[in-house]
Amino acid sequence: MDSLAANQDQILVPPITPSQIRALIARMDSVIDLDKLKDGTPFADAGADSLDFFNIISEIQMATGVIISDEDIEQVNTLNNLVAFLNARMS
């Protein structure tokens, strides 16, 4: 039961918010500076290297069930863009 509850904590349901994404990132082993990760700040400007960004996208895909294709990656480079992308595909 505990592992099921833990998995449910990581499932995101719409409407997705920037704070939900920040919380997911905070649970990850990441070098992102959450104090620098503002809604419109590119993930790279908050310290995310390409591996961090890949891991974030992977976690988001698992938490939402939304596939973010390679073609869509540039559209989700900030929290606001990622939230808008997810909410558009989950509605």
Side-chain angles (χ1 to χ4, degrees), residues 31-79:
V31 297
I32 289 183
D33 183 344
L34 291 174
D35 291 332
K36 290 183 181 177
L37 187 60
K38 306 297 181 206
D39 293 356
T41 302
F43 288 100
D45 290 353
D49 60 19
S50 57
L51 181 58
D52 274 327
F53 188 62
F54 173 80
N55 289 336
I56 290 166
I57 295 303
S58 295
E59 288 291 323
I60 295 293
Q61 291 180 131
M62 286 190 299
T64 63
V66 173
I67 301 301
I68 302 171
S69 70
D70 292 343
E71 293 79 30
D72 293 327
I73 287 294
E74 292 205 16
Q75 292 182 43
V76 297
N77 65 336
T78 68
L79 279 177

